[in-house]
Amino acid sequence: MNKNDRPTDIGINRTGIALSPLDGPLTAEGASAAPPSSAGSWQDAAMVRLRYAAEASEFGHMPPPATLRGLAKTAKELLKGHKANVLLDKLGERLAFERTGVRLYDGLIVKFEANGSWEGGPTLEELVAFRSDEARHFELMVQALVKLGADPTAMTPSADITAVESLGVLQVISDPRTGLAHALHAQQIAELADVAGWDLLASLSETLGHTELAAECRRALAQENLHAAAVARWLKAHAEVAARGELEQAVAS
Amino acid sequence: MSLDIFKERGTPLDRQSFTWKDMVGEPYSKLDDDAFTRVRQILMHGVEQESCRFKHFAARFNPELRLPLARIRRVEHHQATMVNWLMPGDQSTLETTIGFEQVAIEVTAHVAAVEPDPYMAQIYRFGLLEDFDHLYRYAALMDRLCGKDANNILQSYTDVMPGRPTSVEHRAPEDDLRLHYQKTRAAPLTKIHAALITGSEWQTRDYYLTVGPTFADPIARQLYAEIASIEEQHVTQYEALSDPSETWLEKWLVQEATEVYAYWSCYSQEQNPRIKLIWERFLSYELEHLRLVRELMQKLENRDPAELLPAEFPDPLSFTSHRKFVRETLAAEVDLRARGYDIVPMDQDSPASIAYRAQLNAGGSPSEAVAAGYHWRPGTELTDRRVRDAAFAPLSGQEAAQ
Ligand SMILES: [Fe+2]
Ligand SMILES: [Fe+2]
Ligand SMILES: [Fe+2]
Ligand SMILES: [Fe+2]
Ligand SMILES: [Fe+2]
């Protein structure tokens, strides 16, 4: 049984109300007849959220600035003022995202080995190549941070947020019950975010005068664009082959 | 269908073994399996947790029982693990929560309906209407925070509407105590019911305390804090039902009998063949736990515990929708309150509890805020055009107006 083809088979999904011709209508009628215990709408909760938002402090901050001793003069110049923190936070974000990206590809490779691919789907070589791209991007960010005198092991605020954002992606890829197509669909979120992330970092470093870094970011961006396009292509091919009912033959061959 | 607990042979304790591979098996399907498979899984994890918890406390007070307690408790712990690990990774915390309240409603309704002691039955009906309300509040949270439909989990077995409003369930501690059964006179089923529901409620309390802070949303964090407090009250109420003069061994016997009864009930109704095998295997484990406790009683208390147990269980717990029973209870008893050991009409509500809940709700009521004007509808409240197209009023303006 191949998971790449399984979920759209007709099974016994019981979640919809139509599956309960007797109980469904009873539940719906009962709920519409029972008056709420207080008047109002979803906005009542929104009001509470608004008050919490007004009172809340930040979830975290940047680490204290690195010692500028031993840094090249140009680097010192570029690190002055608030703009340095903006850049370091974003570098920390890319570092974290790319490091997780390597692990996401580790998961995709297991998925591939468990389920195989399809006509127009990824090859193992492609997945392995993309994994090493992510690893290289991670290394690039470590170097960039070290060059700027920052601690590459610190989790910056944006790095934290990006990890929270990716929780669902990891959950889908690491579940042994999902197929390669599901996992790639999750990975698509990561790759699209990757493209946007490198694009932003390239412009930011350019603006702040880090010309060399900006050039590196644009090279990474070009690779991420290839990743995003490849994932989109694999997913389209999967949907088409599946819709033609040819998936099982394709997988078997 | 009945189970003769003295004749059935269980699995010898030294053969009640596990590997990580079988403890961490294939979970049920959130989409395809029947909602009652999840109900059984959640219930049995609660029962196993209670079994471990009881055995830890017993060990603190009974040096001579420490070794047999430790041996059997290790099995209980691994049973708890295997049962809890049946939960699938695509089931969110809030979806699991909906499952917890479905357990509280359907299992308590069954217990209330068949409980032979009328005082106890009233207590179960009283608690039932509170968990019934929790389901409605969590369904509103799921709809309004996540845009998801609680009925995907409930599968139309359980109504989603207000019960006794959670905001008035808060009671002073003295109003949560209840009278206990008399161990010499109570029916065995009465004792089993108390152990079963206490374990289930305690697990719910622990779960909400554990997962509440994993939410970022302040309303979710507030709602879990509020409902965890009611579950703490429920534990207070239900644990009060057991006779405090029972010996540790008598209580242990009741706990193992409860596990036997519950696994037998699960086994008799499970539709998922793979999970049915687990219930069967654990039923066999529990029969042996029960036999070992009987042996200990004969040795240490010098008496035959057969007198304390039913020769056979009459009917299994029924894992079915109790819609009619719940609605009738709701219509007749939603306005009841608790005062001391008694369930009383609303106009006799306890002044201590009225003051207590006014204090707790002084900064606003999470359960009211989350479900203000809420009607569950198939596919969420956004299927209602009036809700979907409601004019947007900027919140900051409203805040200023207040
Ligand atoms: Fe990438
Ligand atoms: Fe057990
Ligand atoms: Fe509850
Ligand atoms: Fe409860
Ligand atoms: Fe046991």
PDB file of all heavy atoms in Angstrom, chain A residues 185-217:
ATOM      1  N   HIS A 185       3.999  19.159   0.249  1.00  0.00           N
ATOM      2  CA  HIS A 185       3.058  20.271   0.358  1.00  0.00           C
ATOM      3  C   HIS A 185       3.397  21.127   1.576  1.00  0.00           C
ATOM      4  O   HIS A 185       3.339  22.359   1.536  1.00  0.00           O
ATOM      5  CB  HIS A 185       1.621  19.733   0.444  1.00  0.00           C
ATOM      6  CG  HIS A 185       0.586  20.805   0.362  1.00  0.00           C
ATOM      7  ND1 HIS A 185      -0.010  21.330   1.479  1.00  0.00           N
ATOM      8  CD2 HIS A 185       0.075  21.466  -0.707  1.00  0.00           C
ATOM      9  CE1 HIS A 185      -0.865  22.271   1.099  1.00  0.00           C
ATOM     10  NE2 HIS A 185      -0.833  22.378  -0.213  1.00  0.00           N
ATOM     11  N   ALA A 186       3.787  20.458   2.657  1.00  0.00           N
ATOM     12  CA  ALA A 186       4.234  21.188   3.846  1.00  0.00           C
ATOM     13  C   ALA A 186       5.543  21.920   3.543  1.00  0.00           C
ATOM     14  O   ALA A 186       5.726  23.090   3.886  1.00  0.00           O
ATOM     15  CB  ALA A 186       4.413  20.224   5.011  1.00  0.00           C
ATOM     16  N   GLN A 187       6.452  21.233   2.853  1.00  0.00           N
ATOM     17  CA  GLN A 187       7.752  21.823   2.529  1.00  0.00           C
ATOM     18  C   GLN A 187       7.593  23.054   1.641  1.00  0.00           C
ATOM     19  O   GLN A 187       8.392  23.977   1.689  1.00  0.00           O
ATOM     20  CB  GLN A 187       8.641  20.774   1.843  1.00  0.00           C
ATOM     21  CG  GLN A 187      10.041  21.241   1.512  1.00  0.00           C
ATOM     22  CD  GLN A 187      10.855  21.586   2.758  1.00  0.00           C
ATOM     23  OE1 GLN A 187      10.515  21.181   3.860  1.00  0.00           O
ATOM     24  NE2 GLN A 187      11.909  22.367   2.566  1.00  0.00           N
ATOM     25  N   GLN A 188       6.524  23.062   0.854  1.00  0.00           N
ATOM     26  CA  GLN A 188       6.287  24.211  -0.021  1.00  0.00           C
ATOM     27  C   GLN A 188       6.154  25.501   0.809  1.00  0.00           C
ATOM     28  O   GLN A 188       6.641  26.560   0.406  1.00  0.00           O
ATOM     29  CB  GLN A 188       5.015  23.980  -0.842  1.00  0.00           C
ATOM     30  CG  GLN A 188       4.799  25.035  -1.918  1.00  0.00           C
ATOM     31  CD  GLN A 188       3.709  24.634  -2.887  1.00  0.00           C
ATOM     32  OE1 GLN A 188       2.703  24.048  -2.486  1.00  0.00           O
ATOM     33  NE2 GLN A 188       3.896  24.926  -4.153  1.00  0.00           N
ATOM     34  N   ILE A 189       5.506  25.382   1.957  1.00  0.00           N
ATOM     35  CA  ILE A 189       5.391  26.549   2.844  1.00  0.00           C
ATOM     36  C   ILE A 189       6.785  27.027   3.229  1.00  0.00           C
ATOM     37  O   ILE A 189       7.085  28.221   3.184  1.00  0.00           O
ATOM     38  CB  ILE A 189       4.579  26.179   4.111  1.00  0.00           C
ATOM     39  CG1 ILE A 189       3.153  25.818   3.725  1.00  0.00           C
ATOM     40  CG2 ILE A 189       4.612  27.317   5.122  1.00  0.00           C
ATOM     41  CD1 ILE A 189       2.303  25.392   4.904  1.00  0.00           C
ATOM     42  N   ALA A 190       7.635  26.070   3.589  1.00  0.00           N
ATOM     43  CA  ALA A 190       8.988  26.431   4.009  1.00  0.00           C
ATOM     44  C   ALA A 190       9.768  27.060   2.858  1.00  0.00           C
ATOM     45  O   ALA A 190      10.485  28.051   3.045  1.00  0.00           O
ATOM     46  CB  ALA A 190       9.716  25.196   4.533  1.00  0.00           C
ATOM     47  N   GLU A 191       9.627  26.501   1.665  1.00  0.00           N
ATOM     48  CA  GLU A 191      10.408  27.018   0.535  1.00  0.00           C
ATOM     49  C   GLU A 191       9.939  28.407   0.120  1.00  0.00           C
ATOM     50  O   GLU A 191      10.752  29.266  -0.229  1.00  0.00           O
ATOM     51  CB  GLU A 191      10.337  26.050  -0.652  1.00  0.00           C
ATOM     52  CG  GLU A 191      11.042  24.711  -0.408  1.00  0.00           C
ATOM     53  CD  GLU A 191      12.552  24.844  -0.207  1.00  0.00           C
ATOM     54  OE1 GLU A 191      13.081  25.970  -0.186  1.00  0.00           O
ATOM     55  OE2 GLU A 191      13.215  23.795  -0.055  1.00  0.00           O
ATOM     56  N   LEU A 192       8.641  28.633   0.156  1.00  0.00           N
ATOM     57  CA  LEU A 192       8.135  29.969  -0.199  1.00  0.00           C
ATOM     58  C   LEU A 192       8.623  30.997   0.823  1.00  0.00           C
ATOM     59  O   LEU A 192       9.005  32.117   0.472  1.00  0.00           O
ATOM     60  CB  LEU A 192       6.605  29.960  -0.291  1.00  0.00           C
ATOM     61  CG  LEU A 192       6.050  29.153  -1.472  1.00  0.00           C
ATOM     62  CD1 LEU A 192       4.533  29.024  -1.388  1.00  0.00           C
ATOM     63  CD2 LEU A 192       6.461  29.790  -2.808  1.00  0.00           C
ATOM     64  N   ALA A 193       8.616  30.589   2.092  1.00  0.00           N
ATOM     65  CA  ALA A 193       9.115  31.484   3.135  1.00  0.00           C
ATOM     66  C   ALA A 193      10.619  31.705   2.977  1.00  0.00           C
ATOM     67  O   ALA A 193      11.121  32.806   3.220  1.00  0.00           O
ATOM     68  CB  ALA A 193       8.799  30.908   4.510  1.00  0.00           C
ATOM     69  N   ASP A 194      11.301  30.672   2.558  1.00  0.00           N
ATOM     70  CA  ASP A 194      12.742  30.750   2.312  1.00  0.00           C
ATOM     71  C   ASP A 194      13.054  31.808   1.252  1.00  0.00           C
ATOM     72  O   ASP A 194      13.944  32.645   1.427  1.00  0.00           O
ATOM     73  CB  ASP A 194      13.224  29.385   1.774  1.00  0.00           C
ATOM     74  CG  ASP A 194      14.253  28.745   2.689  1.00  0.00           C
ATOM     75  OD1 ASP A 194      14.690  29.412   3.635  1.00  0.00           O
ATOM     76  OD2 ASP A 194      14.598  27.579   2.442  1.00  0.00           O
ATOM     77  N   VAL A 195      12.314  31.750   0.161  1.00  0.00           N
ATOM     78  CA  VAL A 195      12.504  32.712  -0.936  1.00  0.00           C
ATOM     79  C   VAL A 195      12.307  34.133  -0.414  1.00  0.00           C
ATOM     80  O   VAL A 195      13.156  35.017  -0.604  1.00  0.00           O
ATOM     81  CB  VAL A 195      11.515  32.421  -2.096  1.00  0.00           C
ATOM     82  CG1 VAL A 195      11.471  33.589  -3.075  1.00  0.00           C
ATOM     83  CG2 VAL A 195      11.899  31.126  -2.802  1.00  0.00           C
ATOM     84  N   ALA A 196      11.203  34.320   0.294  1.00  0.00           N
ATOM     85  CA  ALA A 196      10.905  35.659   0.808  1.00  0.00           C
ATOM     86  C   ALA A 196      11.969  36.107   1.809  1.00  0.00           C
ATOM     87  O   ALA A 196      12.369  37.272   1.827  1.00  0.00           O
ATOM     88  CB  ALA A 196       9.519  35.670   1.447  1.00  0.00           C
ATOM     89  N   GLY A 197      12.434  35.149   2.617  1.00  0.00           N
ATOM     90  CA  GLY A 197      13.427  35.476   3.641  1.00  0.00           C
ATOM     91  C   GLY A 197      14.752  35.929   3.048  1.00  0.00           C
ATOM     92  O   GLY A 197      15.328  36.929   3.477  1.00  0.00           O
ATOM     93  N   TRP A 198      15.232  35.199   2.036  1.00  0.00           N
ATOM     94  CA  TRP A 198      16.512  35.574   1.409  1.00  0.00           C
ATOM     95  C   TRP A 198      16.383  36.871   0.628  1.00  0.00           C
ATOM     96  O   TRP A 198      17.317  37.678   0.590  1.00  0.00           O
ATOM     97  CB  TRP A 198      17.009  34.452   0.497  1.00  0.00           C
ATOM     98  CG  TRP A 198      17.593  33.320   1.266  1.00  0.00           C
ATOM     99  CD1 TRP A 198      17.042  32.086   1.433  1.00  0.00           C
ATOM    100  CD2 TRP A 198      18.816  33.316   1.997  1.00  0.00           C
ATOM    101  NE1 TRP A 198      17.843  31.311   2.223  1.00  0.00           N
ATOM    102  CE2 TRP A 198      18.954  32.038   2.586  1.00  0.00           C
ATOM    103  CE3 TRP A 198      19.816  34.260   2.225  1.00  0.00           C
ATOM    104  CZ2 TRP A 198      20.037  31.688   3.374  1.00  0.00           C
ATOM    105  CZ3 TRP A 198      20.905  33.915   3.008  1.00  0.00           C
ATOM    106  CH2 TRP A 198      21.009  32.639   3.583  1.00  0.00           C
ATOM    107  N   ASP A 199      15.235  37.061   0.021  1.00  0.00           N
ATOM    108  CA  ASP A 199      14.986  38.287  -0.734  1.00  0.00           C
ATOM    109  C   ASP A 199      15.090  39.492   0.202  1.00  0.00           C
ATOM    110  O   ASP A 199      15.781  40.479  -0.078  1.00  0.00           O
ATOM    111  CB  ASP A 199      13.598  38.198  -1.377  1.00  0.00           C
ATOM    112  CG  ASP A 199      13.327  39.372  -2.293  1.00  0.00           C
ATOM    113  OD1 ASP A 199      14.297  39.856  -2.922  1.00  0.00           O
ATOM    114  OD2 ASP A 199      12.166  39.814  -2.368  1.00  0.00           O
ATOM    115  N   LEU A 200      14.423  39.367   1.345  1.00  0.00           N
ATOM    116  CA  LEU A 200      14.453  40.461   2.320  1.00  0.00           C
ATOM    117  C   LEU A 200      15.875  40.693   2.833  1.00  0.00           C
ATOM    118  O   LEU A 200      16.340  41.833   2.917  1.00  0.00           O
ATOM    119  CB  LEU A 200      13.506  40.145   3.475  1.00  0.00           C
ATOM    120  CG  LEU A 200      13.292  41.260   4.500  1.00  0.00           C
ATOM    121  CD1 LEU A 200      11.874  41.203   5.045  1.00  0.00           C
ATOM    122  CD2 LEU A 200      14.290  41.216   5.639  1.00  0.00           C
ATOM    123  N   LEU A 201      16.553  39.612   3.137  1.00  0.00           N
ATOM    124  CA  LEU A 201      17.901  39.740   3.701  1.00  0.00           C
ATOM    125  C   LEU A 201      18.873  40.352   2.684  1.00  0.00           C
ATOM    126  O   LEU A 201      19.741  41.159   3.043  1.00  0.00           O
ATOM    127  CB  LEU A 201      18.402  38.371   4.166  1.00  0.00           C
ATOM    128  CG  LEU A 201      19.634  38.392   5.068  1.00  0.00           C
ATOM    129  CD1 LEU A 201      19.386  39.187   6.337  1.00  0.00           C
ATOM    130  CD2 LEU A 201      20.047  36.963   5.422  1.00  0.00           C
ATOM    131  N   ALA A 202      18.704  39.998   1.414  1.00  0.00           N
ATOM    132  CA  ALA A 202      19.558  40.564   0.361  1.00  0.00           C
ATOM    133  C   ALA A 202      19.376  42.079   0.291  1.00  0.00           C
ATOM    134  O   ALA A 202      20.351  42.835   0.281  1.00  0.00           O
ATOM    135  CB  ALA A 202      19.237  39.917  -0.982  1.00  0.00           C
ATOM    136  N   SER A 203      18.118  42.535   0.274  1.00  0.00           N
ATOM    137  CA  SER A 203      17.893  43.986   0.194  1.00  0.00           C
ATOM    138  C   SER A 203      18.373  44.687   1.452  1.00  0.00           C
ATOM    139  O   SER A 203      18.970  45.766   1.378  1.00  0.00           O
ATOM    140  CB  SER A 203      16.423  44.350  -0.007  1.00  0.00           C
ATOM    141  OG  SER A 203      15.699  43.293  -0.462  1.00  0.00           O
ATOM    142  N   LEU A 204      18.102  44.078   2.614  1.00  0.00           N
ATOM    143  CA  LEU A 204      18.491  44.711   3.873  1.00  0.00           C
ATOM    144  C   LEU A 204      20.007  44.883   3.942  1.00  0.00           C
ATOM    145  O   LEU A 204      20.503  45.971   4.272  1.00  0.00           O
ATOM    146  CB  LEU A 204      17.984  43.890   5.063  1.00  0.00           C
ATOM    147  CG  LEU A 204      18.290  44.469   6.446  1.00  0.00           C
ATOM    148  CD1 LEU A 204      17.542  45.774   6.678  1.00  0.00           C
ATOM    149  CD2 LEU A 204      17.941  43.462   7.549  1.00  0.00           C
ATOM    150  N   SER A 205      20.753  43.837   3.604  1.00  0.00           N
ATOM    151  CA  SER A 205      22.214  43.968   3.711  1.00  0.00           C
ATOM    152  C   SER A 205      22.746  44.960   2.681  1.00  0.00           C
ATOM    153  O   SER A 205      23.697  45.692   2.953  1.00  0.00           O
ATOM    154  CB  SER A 205      22.917  42.611   3.608  1.00  0.00           C
ATOM    155  OG  SER A 205      22.138  41.656   2.999  1.00  0.00           O
ATOM    156  N   GLU A 206      22.111  44.994   1.531  1.00  0.00           N
ATOM    157  CA  GLU A 206      22.471  45.993   0.516  1.00  0.00           C
ATOM    158  C   GLU A 206      22.277  47.405   1.078  1.00  0.00           C
ATOM    159  O   GLU A 206      23.176  48.243   1.056  1.00  0.00           O
ATOM    160  CB  GLU A 206      21.581  45.778  -0.723  1.00  0.00           C
ATOM    161  CG  GLU A 206      21.969  46.595  -1.942  1.00  0.00           C
ATOM    162  CD  GLU A 206      23.214  46.006  -2.608  1.00  0.00           C
ATOM    163  OE1 GLU A 206      23.100  44.914  -3.193  1.00  0.00           O
ATOM    164  OE2 GLU A 206      24.299  46.645  -2.507  1.00  0.00           O
ATOM    165  N   THR A 207      21.080  47.632   1.619  1.00  0.00           N
ATOM    166  CA  THR A 207      20.740  48.950   2.178  1.00  0.00           C
ATOM    167  C   THR A 207      21.720  49.370   3.266  1.00  0.00           C
ATOM    168  O   THR A 207      22.089  50.540   3.372  1.00  0.00           O
ATOM    169  CB  THR A 207      19.326  48.910   2.798  1.00  0.00           C
ATOM    170  OG1 THR A 207      18.439  48.359   1.836  1.00  0.00           O
ATOM    171  CG2 THR A 207      18.851  50.297   3.212  1.00  0.00           C
ATOM    172  N   LEU A 208      22.132  48.389   4.084  1.00  0.00           N
ATOM    173  CA  LEU A 208      23.013  48.711   5.209  1.00  0.00           C
ATOM    174  C   LEU A 208      24.488  48.730   4.799  1.00  0.00           C
ATOM    175  O   LEU A 208      25.365  48.867   5.644  1.00  0.00           O
ATOM    176  CB  LEU A 208      22.788  47.730   6.356  1.00  0.00           C
ATOM    177  CG  LEU A 208      21.380  47.767   6.987  1.00  0.00           C
ATOM    178  CD1 LEU A 208      21.282  46.738   8.104  1.00  0.00           C
ATOM    179  CD2 LEU A 208      21.032  49.154   7.516  1.00  0.00           C
ATOM    180  N   GLY A 209      24.736  48.525   3.521  1.00  0.00           N
ATOM    181  CA  GLY A 209      26.104  48.648   3.032  1.00  0.00           C
ATOM    182  C   GLY A 209      26.953  47.389   3.115  1.00  0.00           C
ATOM    183  O   GLY A 209      28.157  47.437   2.912  1.00  0.00           O
ATOM    184  N   HIS A 210      26.346  46.261   3.407  1.00  0.00           N
ATOM    185  CA  HIS A 210      27.086  44.993   3.444  1.00  0.00           C
ATOM    186  C   HIS A 210      27.056  44.371   2.051  1.00  0.00           C
ATOM    187  O   HIS A 210      26.337  43.397   1.814  1.00  0.00           O
ATOM    188  CB  HIS A 210      26.475  44.032   4.464  1.00  0.00           C
ATOM    189  CG  HIS A 210      26.524  44.529   5.874  1.00  0.00           C
ATOM    190  ND1 HIS A 210      27.527  44.216   6.755  1.00  0.00           N
ATOM    191  CD2 HIS A 210      25.685  45.351   6.546  1.00  0.00           C
ATOM    192  CE1 HIS A 210      27.301  44.801   7.920  1.00  0.00           C
ATOM    193  NE2 HIS A 210      26.185  45.510   7.818  1.00  0.00           N
ATOM    194  N   THR A 211      27.817  44.915   1.162  1.00  0.00           N
ATOM    195  CA  THR A 211      27.723  44.543  -0.253  1.00  0.00           C
ATOM    196  C   THR A 211      28.047  43.071  -0.499  1.00  0.00           C
ATOM    197  O   THR A 211      27.341  42.392  -1.239  1.00  0.00           O
ATOM    198  CB  THR A 211      28.693  45.412  -1.088  1.00  0.00           C
ATOM    199  OG1 THR A 211      28.713  46.717  -0.488  1.00  0.00           O
ATOM    200  CG2 THR A 211      28.253  45.513  -2.513  1.00  0.00           C
ATOM    201  N   GLU A 212      29.098  42.614   0.157  1.00  0.00           N
ATOM    202  CA  GLU A 212      29.509  41.228  -0.042  1.00  0.00           C
ATOM    203  C   GLU A 212      28.428  40.258   0.438  1.00  0.00           C
ATOM    204  O   GLU A 212      28.079  39.295  -0.251  1.00  0.00           O
ATOM    205  CB  GLU A 212      30.792  40.979   0.750  1.00  0.00           C
ATOM    206  CG  GLU A 212      31.806  40.119   0.046  1.00  0.00           C
ATOM    207  CD  GLU A 212      33.071  40.045   0.890  1.00  0.00           C
ATOM    208  OE1 GLU A 212      33.781  41.081   0.992  1.00  0.00           O
ATOM    209  OE2 GLU A 212      33.301  38.972   1.480  1.00  0.00           O
ATOM    210  N   LEU A 213      27.905  40.556   1.622  1.00  0.00           N
ATOM    211  CA  LEU A 213      26.832  39.731   2.190  1.00  0.00           C
ATOM    212  C   LEU A 213      25.618  39.731   1.269  1.00  0.00           C
ATOM    213  O   LEU A 213      25.004  38.687   1.026  1.00  0.00           O
ATOM    214  CB  LEU A 213      26.457  40.261   3.583  1.00  0.00           C
ATOM    215  CG  LEU A 213      25.346  39.527   4.328  1.00  0.00           C
ATOM    216  CD1 LEU A 213      25.710  38.063   4.548  1.00  0.00           C
ATOM    217  CD2 LEU A 213      25.060  40.207   5.671  1.00  0.00           C
ATOM    218  N   ALA A 214      25.298  40.910   0.741  1.00  0.00           N
ATOM    219  CA  ALA A 214      24.140  41.030  -0.154  1.00  0.00           C
ATOM    220  C   ALA A 214      24.310  40.117  -1.363  1.00  0.00           C
ATOM    221  O   ALA A 214      23.364  39.449  -1.791  1.00  0.00           O
ATOM    222  CB  ALA A 214      23.953  42.481  -0.583  1.00  0.00           C
ATOM    223  N   ALA A 215      25.522  40.050  -1.880  1.00  0.00           N
ATOM    224  CA  ALA A 215      25.771  39.200  -3.045  1.00  0.00           C
ATOM    225  C   ALA A 215      25.584  37.724  -2.693  1.00  0.00           C
ATOM    226  O   ALA A 215      24.978  36.964  -3.450  1.00  0.00           O
ATOM    227  CB  ALA A 215      27.188  39.448  -3.577  1.00  0.00           C
ATOM    228  N   GLU A 216      26.078  37.330  -1.518  1.00  0.00           N
ATOM    229  CA  GLU A 216      25.895  35.944  -1.044  1.00  0.00           C
ATOM    230  C   GLU A 216      24.403  35.622  -0.923  1.00  0.00           C
ATOM    231  O   GLU A 216      23.952  34.533  -1.299  1.00  0.00           O
ATOM    232  CB  GLU A 216      26.532  35.765   0.347  1.00  0.00           C
ATOM    233  CG  GLU A 216      28.005  36.100   0.410  1.00  0.00           C
ATOM    234  CD  GLU A 216      28.847  34.852   0.348  1.00  0.00           C
ATOM    235  OE1 GLU A 216      28.471  33.932  -0.405  1.00  0.00           O
ATOM    236  OE2 GLU A 216      29.877  34.801   1.072  1.00  0.00           O
ATOM    237  N   CYS A 217      23.647  36.566  -0.353  1.00  0.00           N
ATOM    238  CA  CYS A 217      22.207  36.347  -0.156  1.00  0.00           C
ATOM    239  C   CYS A 217      21.505  36.168  -1.498  1.00  0.00           C
ATOM    240  O   CYS A 217      20.598  35.348  -1.621  1.00  0.00           O
ATOM    241  CB  CYS A 217      21.585  37.523   0.601  1.00  0.00           C
ATOM    242  SG  CYS A 217      22.101  37.600   2.326  1.00  0.00           S
TER     243      CYS A 217
END
